[in-house]
Amino acid sequence: MDRRALLPGGVAIAGTLAIVIGVHTELLTMRPGTAGTIETGWGGSLNHEEELLAGLSVVATSSAFAAIRWRRAALLAQAVGGVVLFYALRAVVGYSFDPTLGIYTGLPVLDGTNGRVIFGAEPYLLVLGGLLLIVAGVLGFRGWPRAGDPDTVAENTRDHSLSESAET
């Protein structure tokens, strides 16, 4: 087996790790305080959306490995990557336009200093994971030449016959 055929699966595993780590981190955080986090729909224990994203990323990884045998299975990894990107974009846009939070604007803190509500690691990791799943799907769909492909066998035969005729 050609090791390059495993590349889509490896990229999909990296994307799944980014998504799983991302859903366990905070969506919004309070700076400069290190202990301040804001409980949102995506913070604390995993909700159904985060469980869905983690489960779908595992399905996408399986489809990237299935693309070794069935080329069209890689389309599922691309679709899941798009879903992950949609959820991350929806969360960022939703909280960016929320006037009560004041993303990236100063807020007074109890001790008299000012702090800011900023995005945590979750949206960035979800975007990275979604992009990696899309790349894995593209790599899997594009495919690598396989030993049993009729096109590869025909090209090898054609190249061999051309080199024999050049030698004579």
Side-chain angles (χ1 to χ4, degrees), residues 45-103:
S45 63
L46 295 182
N47 61 20
H48 70 281
E49 291 177 345
E50 291 173 329
E51 290 174 0
L52 175 71
L53 292 178
L56 283 176
S57 66
V58 171
V59 171
T61 301
S62 301
S63 73
F65 279 110
I68 294 170
R69 175 100 172 134
W70 300 286
R71 182 177 179 181
R72 291 187 182 157
L75 294 175
L76 183 60
Q78 293 176 0
V80 169
V83 168
V84 171
L85 288 178
F86 171 75
Y87 274 116
L89 179 68
R90 183 186 65 127
V92 168
V93 169
Y95 286 113
S96 293
F97 292 117
D98 188 4
T100 59
L101 285 177
I103 299 289

